[in-house]
C-alpha cells in the first residue's frame, strides 16, 4: 500500500492532503493560543509554560511538545517532498507553452507553489526567531515569550515578513483545504459549497487571527 | 467576415513550428470553425501552399476527433467542440490564434494535429467491461438505480477529445480518466473489475507522462460535454478504496 501511495500521483496528493490537514489543525490551535497575548504577560507566559508541562505526570516535561514537533516536522517534510516531485512532473507534462497567453485558474491556485516556498522560508525564520532565538532582535529570553513577541514586532522587518507570510498562508489554505477534500474524495456536487465556504472561513480566520498580534503590537495595544 | 488567423504551422513532429499569419475574407457567420479552416485550406491549395493539417471526423460534436486551442481556450470561447463552434461567436476584423493541444503526452504530429494515443492506452488498461459474448442479454435483467444510471450517463458523455489535458496547466488527464472510471465503476456491469480498473488506468495515466491534478478547474471549464470537476474527487475516492481493498487481500 505504501508503494502504491508513493508511486502514484493520486497517492502523493493523498500524502499532501493528510499532511496538510495535520498542519492546518495545528495552525488553528496555534492561532487561538496566540490570542492569549491579549490577556497580558502572566497569562501568555503561563500558557507557554503549560505547553511544556502538558501531559504531565504521564509524560515527562516537554515530551508532549516534542511529540507535536516531530509530527509537524514529518508532515512538513512529506508535504514539501511530494509538492516538489509533483511540481516537477506537472511542469514536464506541459513542456511547450501556448503562444496565446491567458491567466489559468484563480490567484490562490496559481500561487500554491511560490506560496509554499514562502511559507517554508517563513517557518525557518519563525523558529530561529521565536523558538531558538538565534536571529531574534534584542535579547531573547527563554520563558518570556510575551516580551520576545513584542520585540519581534517592534522591528519593521519582523512585521513585513510576518504579514507577507500570513497573507500567503491564507491563500495557501484557501485552495489547499478544498483541494485536500477533493483528493480525499470528499467532494461532490452537493458538498461543493460547504467545502468552499469552510476553506474561505479557515483562510480568513487564520490570517486575521495571526495578523492580530503584530497589528496589536504596532498600535500599542500589546506592549 | 474578414479575419486574421495566426495558425501554428509545424511540418512534422521533429521540425520546429511557428505561428503563421493568414488573412481570410468572405467567412459566413453560419460556418463552423472547421469550415472556416476548410476555406483557408482551399485558398492555400489554390496558391500551391501546404494546407493546414487538423483532425476532424463526425463534425457533429460526438466523435472527439476535432479540437484546437482558439485564443488560448480549448475548443474556443463556447462550451462545445471546435466542429460545433460557429463563426458568429467572432467579430468581423478579429485576429484569431489557433494552436494545437499542448501537452507532453500529446506530441504534435503536424500543424494542429496531435497524437492522442496515450488516451487509447489508458482505455486499454481497464476502460471496458468483461462481458460474455453471444446474444444481447435481456435489458431488464440487471436493475440499475436511477441515480447510478444518471451518474454513469453523465460520465459516458466524454468523447475523449483531450480538451481537459489541453486546458490543464499541468497537462493532466485526470478529468478524462475520471469520466471513464466513474462511468463503469458505478454500474453492476463494471463491478467485477472495479478495483483493478481504477488502479490500472491511473497507473497508465501516470506512465504516459500526464501531470497531476492541482484542482485548477480549467479542465471542467473546457470540457465540451460538461464533465464536472467533482468527477475527479469521485475517482480519487475509488482509487483510495481500491488501494485499501487490494492491500488487504
Ligand atoms: S469532428 Fe467529431 S466531435 Fe468534432
Amino acid at each position: 500500500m505504501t508503494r502504491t501511495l508513493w508511486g502514484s500521483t493520486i497517492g502523493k496528493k493523498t500524502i499532501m492532503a493528510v499532511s496538510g490537514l495535520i498542519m492546518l489543525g495545528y495552525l488553528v490551535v496555534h492561532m487561538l493560543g496566540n490570542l492569549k497575548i491579549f490577556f497580558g504577560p502572566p497569562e501568555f507566559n503561563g500558557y507557554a509554560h503549560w505547553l511544556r508541562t502538558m501531559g504531565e505526570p504521564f509524560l515527562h516535561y516537554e515530551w508532549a511538545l516534542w511529540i507535536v514537533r516531530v509530527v509537524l516536522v514529518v508532515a512538513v517534510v512529506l508535504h514539501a517532498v511530494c509538492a516538489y516531485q509533483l511540481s516537477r512532473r506537472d511542469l514536464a507534462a506541459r513542456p511547450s507553452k501556448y503562444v496565446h497567453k491567458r491567466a489559468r485558474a484563480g490567484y490562490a491556485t496559481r500561487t500554491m507553489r511560490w506560496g509554499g516556498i514562502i511559507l517554508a522560508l517563513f517557518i525557518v525564520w519563525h523558529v530561529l526567531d521565536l523558538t531558538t532565538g538565534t536571529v531574534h532582535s534584542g535579547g531573547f529570553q527563554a520563558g518570556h515569550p510575551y516580551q520576545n513577541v513584542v520585540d519581534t514586532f517592534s522591528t519593521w522587518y519582523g512585521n513585513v515578513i510576518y504579514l507577507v507570510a500570513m497573507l500567503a498562508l491564507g491563500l495557501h489554505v484557501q485552495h489547499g483545504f478544498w483541494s485536500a477534500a477533493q483528493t480525499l474524495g470528499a467532494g461532490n456536487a452537493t458538498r461543493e459549497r460547504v467545502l468552499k465556504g469552510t476553506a474561505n472561513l479557515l483562510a480568513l480566520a487564520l490570517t486575521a487571527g495571526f495578523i492580530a498580534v503584530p497589528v496589536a503590537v504596532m498600535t500599542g495595544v500589546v506592549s | 467576415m474578414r479575419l486574421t488567423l495566426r495558425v501554428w504551422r509545424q511540418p512534422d513532429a521533429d521540425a520546429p513550428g511557428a505561428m503563421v499569419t493568414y488573412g481570410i475574407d468572405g467567412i459566413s457567420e453560419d460556418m463552423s470553425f472547421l469550415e472556416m479552416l476548410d476555406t483557408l485550406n482551399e485558398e492555400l491549395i489554390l496558391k500551391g501552399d501546404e494546407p493546414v493539417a487538423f483532425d476532424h471526423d463526425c463534425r457533429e460534436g460526438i466523435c472527439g476527433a476535432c479540437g484546437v486551442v482558439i485564443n488560448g481556450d480549448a475548443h474556443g470561447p463556447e462550451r462545445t467542440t471546435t466542429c460545433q463552434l460557429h463563426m458568429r461567436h467572432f467579430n468581423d476584423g478579429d485576429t484569431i490564434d489557433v494552436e494545437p493541444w499542448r501537452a507532453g503526452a500529446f506530441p504534435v504530429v503536424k500543424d494542429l494535429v496531435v497524437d492522442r494515443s496515450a488516451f487509447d492506452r489508458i482505455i486499454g488498461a481497464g476502460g471496458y467491461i468483461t462481458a460474455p459474448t453471444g446474444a444481447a442479454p435481456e435489458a431488464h435483467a440487471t436493475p440499475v438505480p436511477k441515480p447510478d444510471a444518471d451518474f454513469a450517463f453523465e460520465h459516458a458523455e466524454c468523447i475523449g477529445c483531450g480538451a481537459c489535458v489541453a486546458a490543464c496547466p499541468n497537462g493532466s488527464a485526470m478529468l478524462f480518466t475520471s469520466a471513464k472510471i466513474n462511468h463503469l465503476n458505478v454500474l453492476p456491469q463494471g463491478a467485477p473489475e472495479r478495483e483493478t480498473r481504477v488502479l490500472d488506468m491511473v497507473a497508465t495515466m501516470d506512465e504516459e507522462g500526464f501531470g497531476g491534478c492541482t484542482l485548477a478547474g480549467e479542465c471542467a471549464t473546457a470540457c465540451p460535454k460538461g464533465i464536472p470537476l467533482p468527477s475527479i474527487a469521485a475517482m480519487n475516492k475509488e482509487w483510495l478504496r481500491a488501494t485499501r481493498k487490494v492491500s488487504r487481500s
Side-chain angles (χ1 to χ4, degrees):
Chain A
M1 182 162 162
T2 335
R3 279 251 305 276
T4 334
L5 274 181
W6 196 252
S8 160
T9 50
I10 300 184
K12 285 217 167 82
K13 291 272 306 180
T14 307
I15 294 171
M16 286 191 73
V18 172
S19 56
L21 289 176
I22 290 172
M23 291 188 275
L24 185 58
Y26 167 80
L27 284 178
V28 171
V29 177
H30 184 4
M31 184 273 286
L32 292 174
N34 283 5
L35 297 180
K36 300 216 84 178
I37 202 158
F38 289 102
F39 299 106
E43 192 157 340
F44 189 66
N45 292 345
Y47 163 69
H49 182 70
W50 171 79
L51 290 176
R52 284 159 177 75
T53 58
M54 199 167 43
E56 283 184 18
F58 178 68
L59 295 174
H60 187 66
Y61 179 73
E62 279 197 347
W63 276 19
L65 191 63
W66 275 104
I67 291 170
V68 172
R69 284 171 175 169
V70 169
V71 170
L72 283 176
V73 167
V74 171
V76 169
V77 169
L78 284 176
H79 199 77
V81 170
C82 289
Y84 173 76
Q85 294 179 344
L86 286 170
S87 297
R88 285 206 40 175
R89 183 190 176 90
D90 294 348
L91 295 175
R94 175 48 88 63
S96 30
K97 305 275 162 265
Y98 288 110
V99 176
H100 190 106
K101 300 248 178 316
R102 67 171 182 81
R104 294 199 174 260
Y107 189 74
T109 314
R110 278 184 281 134
T111 50
M112 282 310 269
R113 288 178 191 141
W114 276 108
I117 293 170
I118 289 176
L119 288 172
L121 293 173
F122 169 76
I123 294 170
V124 172
W125 173 78
H126 190 55
V127 168
L128 291 177
D129 179 35
L130 286 171
T131 307
T132 65
T134 322
V135 298
H136 190 69
S137 57
F140 179 81
Q141 303 173 57
H144 294 88
Y146 188 94
Q147 191 53 44
N148 295 334
V149 168
V150 171
D151 288 347
T152 290
F153 294 132
S154 301
T155 61
W156 66 266
Y157 60 85
N159 286 315
V160 170
I161 296 175
Y162 201 85
L163 291 179
V164 169
M166 290 311 109
L167 290 176
L169 174 71
L171 287 169
H172 206 77
V173 166
Q174 192 204 9
H175 185 68
F177 175 79
W178 179 74
S179 291
Q182 306 298 317
T183 300
L184 297 176
N188 64 30
T190 44
R191 241 177 272 153
E192 205 66 354
R193 277 190 41 203
V194 179
L195 289 172
K196 281 230 156 111
T198 313
N200 290 343
L201 195 75
L202 276 170
L204 208 66
L206 283 175
T207 303
F210 278 123
I211 280 183
V213 177
V215 168
V217 175
M218 278 191 272
T219 53
V221 175
V222 166
S223 60
Chain B
M1 286 169 91
R2 179 199 292 273
L3 298 166
T4 306
L5 293 174
R6 300 203 304 154
V7 184
W8 183 262
R9 300 302 310 260
Q10 181 174 340
D12 61 69
D14 304 314
M19 297 296 267
V20 177
T21 308
Y22 302 100
I24 186 168
D25 205 351
I27 297 299
S28 147
E29 54 182 30
D30 296 329
M31 281 182 179
S32 74
F33 200 86
L34 296 188
E35 284 166 337
M36 185 276 293
L37 288 179
D38 291 337
T39 312
L40 171 69
N41 278 346
E42 280 168 12
E43 285 181 15
L44 290 178
I45 292 167
L46 283 178
K47 272 194 271 171
D49 287 343
E50 184 79 7
V52 178
F54 60 89
D55 256 333
H56 61 101
D57 190 15
C58 72
R59 296 211 176 195
E60 46 186 276
I62 54 169
C63 75
C66 68
V68 289
V69 172
I70 302 162
N71 287 340
D73 289 320
H75 290 304
E78 296 293 305
R79 172 167 280 200
T80 186
T81 54
T82 305
C83 59
Q84 291 291 298
L85 174 69
H86 289 91
M87 295 313 292
R88 66 181 74 100
H89 298 294
F90 299 90
N91 297 315
D92 188 39
D94 275 1
T95 299
I96 306 175
D97 288 338
V98 191
E99 298 175 71
W101 285 172
R102 290 289 186 200
F106 285 172
V108 173
V109 176
K110 183 179 182 181
D111 296 338
L112 303 172
V113 178
V114 298
D115 178 358
R116 283 170 290 184
S117 50
F119 268 12
D120 300 338
R121 291 187 287 275
I122 294 177
I123 294 291
Y128 49 80
I129 59 163
T130 45
T133 54
E138 206 276 314
H140 295 294
T142 319
V144 179
K146 178 78 164 72
D148 290 357
D150 288 347
F151 185 82
F153 191 79
E154 183 179 28
H155 292 102
E157 279 192 68
C158 169
I159 53 175
C161 62
C164 45
V165 177
C168 176
N170 310 320
S172 174
M174 290 280 278
L175 195 70
F176 165 77
T177 312
S178 75
K180 298 303 171 192
I181 287 168
N182 293 337
H183 164 206
L184 297 177
N185 269 22
V186 73
L187 294 174
Q189 289 86 345
E193 297 99 2
R194 185 171 169 189
E195 288 82 27
T196 49
R197 174 176 302 115
V198 59
L199 293 177
D200 293 347
M201 287 179 77
V202 167
T204 307
M205 176 188 86
D206 284 348
E207 278 161 28
E208 291 292 340
F210 291 104
C213 177
T214 52
L215 277 309
E218 291 286 331
C219 54
T221 310
C223 177
K225 297 296 156 181
I227 308 291
L229 192 58
S231 304
I232 291 178
M235 171 174 71
N236 290 336
K237 198 171 170 183
E238 279 296 306
W239 189 87
L240 288 169
R241 178 187 167 278
T243 307
R244 280 195 306 270
K245 262 199 113 165
V246 168
S247 71
R248 241 186 281 130
S249 62

